Amino acid sequence: MDTTDFVAHLDREGRLLAAAAERAGTDAEVPTCPEWRVRDLVRHTGMVHRWAAAFVAEGHTAYHPDGGLPELDGAELLAWFREGHGHLVETLSAAAPDVRCWQFMPAPSPLAFWARRQAHETTVHRIDAESARGGTPTGISTDFAADGIDELLRGFHARSKSRVRSEEPRVLRVRATDADDAVWTVRLSPEPPVTVRGEDGEADCELAGPAAQLYPALWNRQPFPSVTGDAAVAALWREKSAVTWS
């Protein structure tokens, strides 16, 4: 997938998020994030959109703090969200391919990083908004879901912040059953996980299923499609893998 593809996904997912939030109402509970109501979800995602856009638009080459959460609610909050989402889409669409700015995970370029990261950020929170709305969730393409799994395993959980650790070395396999070259081997130890693409040795536990089901499951938004081997390794992932803003 290229930057244009990610921006298209970001555009679509943000619109879907806003529509689901509007239908659910900002006071609705978010089942996939039990500590949040829809207003919290929309405030957070809207803040992240503005924070990300500022790096690209203003060329910050070091970490720059976010602008905080607004006190808005209801229709005003949704309008604020849509404005910020649209600004992010426009910023990424208009940016020069060689724009220089800060990023927090490896990527071919800062622009590629921010387009990919915000596409997945918005998709996961769209899933949250649709859980509050109820009904059938919007589908996710296999290629995009597989990319999201890769970003989570080889990006987020390669960082020192990852809490997915085990005193006893363990090996987790993640397998998307409907995509080519969509198998990951995750080695757990007292250090941050080390993930490689492919089947690398024996695994203690395997999580498998269609990419579009594995993707939200690994983000702890729904159950794992299939768990084989030592279920304690899957439970460790559930307990320790949450990615938080702070």
Side-chain angles (χ1 to χ4, degrees):
M1 297 182 65
D2 61 23
T3 298
T4 302
D5 294 325
F6 286 122
V7 174
H9 277 282
L10 167 63
D11 188 20
R12 169 184 181 266
E13 295 293 333
R15 293 174 189 273
L16 288 170
L17 190 161
E22 189 167 45
R23 181 172 172 182
T26 55
D27 195 47
E29 295 181 351
V30 181
T32 51
C33 297
E35 71 279 13
W36 273 358
R37 293 186 181 271
V38 167
R39 67 173 62 85
D40 303 307
L41 170 68
V42 175
R43 288 169 180 170
H44 167 78
T45 313
M47 174 272 291
V48 172
H49 285 170
R50 285 167 165 76
W51 176 75
F55 284 103
V56 178
E58 300 170 19
H60 298 293
T61 56
Y63 175 81
H64 189 73
D66 64 76
L69 300 175
E71 293 297 326
L72 301 172
D73 202 352
E76 289 184 337
L77 175 60
L78 291 169
W80 173 85
F81 172 84
R82 287 180 166 117
E83 178 184 34
H85 169 250
H87 174 61
L88 175 59
V89 171
E90 291 172 5
T91 297
L92 295 172
S93 298
D98 61 351
V99 65
R100 307 312 302 170
C101 62
W102 180 79
Q103 62 193 71
F104 61 86
M105 292 191 294
S109 70
L111 181 59
F113 166 78
W114 284 109
R116 183 193 200 197
R117 175 81 288 278
Q118 290 308 299
H120 289 300
E121 173 85 10
T122 308
T123 300
V124 171
H125 288 317
R126 182 269 295 169
I127 292 169
D128 295 330
E130 290 187 344
S131 79
R133 178 206 66 188
T136 303
T138 304
I140 304 169
S141 72
T142 298
D143 288 350
F144 183 72
D147 182 82
I149 294 169
D150 192 76
E151 187 211 36
L152 180 63
L153 298 180
R154 297 204 297 157
F156 271 106
H157 287 289
R159 301 188 301 161
S160 60
K161 288 185 176 183
S162 177
R163 298 185 303 114
V164 185
R165 306 188 185 206
S166 173
E167 289 301 318
E168 176 188 0
R170 309 291 278 166
V171 178
L172 174 66
R173 186 100 70 222
V174 177
R175 185 187 306 275
T177 54
D178 58 344
D180 294 334
D181 187 33
V183 180
W184 296 262
T185 300
V186 186
R187 298 192 177 278
L188 306 178
S189 74
E191 300 300 319
V194 175
T195 301
V196 296
R197 199 78 178 246
E199 297 191 50
D200 183 14
E202 297 295 320
D204 297 294
C205 176
E206 178 167 306
L207 309 176
Q213 294 179 31
L214 271 179
Y215 172 52
L218 288 163
W219 277 100
N220 296 322
R221 263 53 185 193
Q222 65 183 46
F224 295 121
S226 171
V227 179
T228 56
D230 187 353
V233 180
L236 174 67
W237 182 271
R238 278 276 185 244
E239 180 184 355
K240 299 293 187 180
S241 68
V243 175
T244 59
W245 178 250
S246 59

